[in-house]
Amino acid sequence: ADGWVRMKKSINSMKGQKIKKALELLKVRKMTFRKAAKLANVSYVEIMDLTSKAGIDSGYSLNDLRKEI
């Protein structure tokens, strides 16, 4: 059982590192959302949600949307 727990923690840690790297690249505008989602192995919607929760500006505000309508 201990081996399984260690392996699961390792997998979660690797996924966390991939998500962290993707968010860092999004923050400095070095990667698109689609590429970041692929790197982090999450869906497009999930990367958008993670970006919002991390307080990273997506570059497109509600005011921008209102101006276009």
Side-chain angles (χ1 to χ4, degrees), residues 3-28:
W4 174 250
V5 171
R6 278 194 302 266
M7 185 174 76
K8 194 171 181 182
K9 285 182 181 179
S10 177
I11 290 169
N12 287 338
S13 176
M14 287 187 294
K15 185 173 182 178
Q17 289 299 318
K18 287 181 178 183
I19 290 171
K20 183 179 176 183
K21 182 66 175 175
L23 291 175
E24 288 172 359
L25 291 169
L26 282 169
K27 187 174 184 176
V28 295

Side-chain angles (χ1 to χ4, degrees), residues 35-48:
K35 288 182 181 178
K38 187 173 183 176
L39 171 67
N41 199 31
V42 297
S43 72
Y44 182 82
V45 172
E46 287 173 302
I47 201 70
M48 294 289 288

Side-chain angles (χ1 to χ4, degrees), residues 37-66:
K38 187 173 183 176
L39 171 67
N41 199 31
V42 297
S43 72
Y44 182 82
V45 172
E46 287 173 302
I47 201 70
M48 294 289 288
D49 187 47
L50 290 166
T51 303
S52 175
K53 287 178 180 175
I56 297 171
D57 180 19
S58 68
Y60 199 79
S61 71
L62 184 57
N63 285 335
D64 293 332
L65 178 62
R66 285 185 180 135

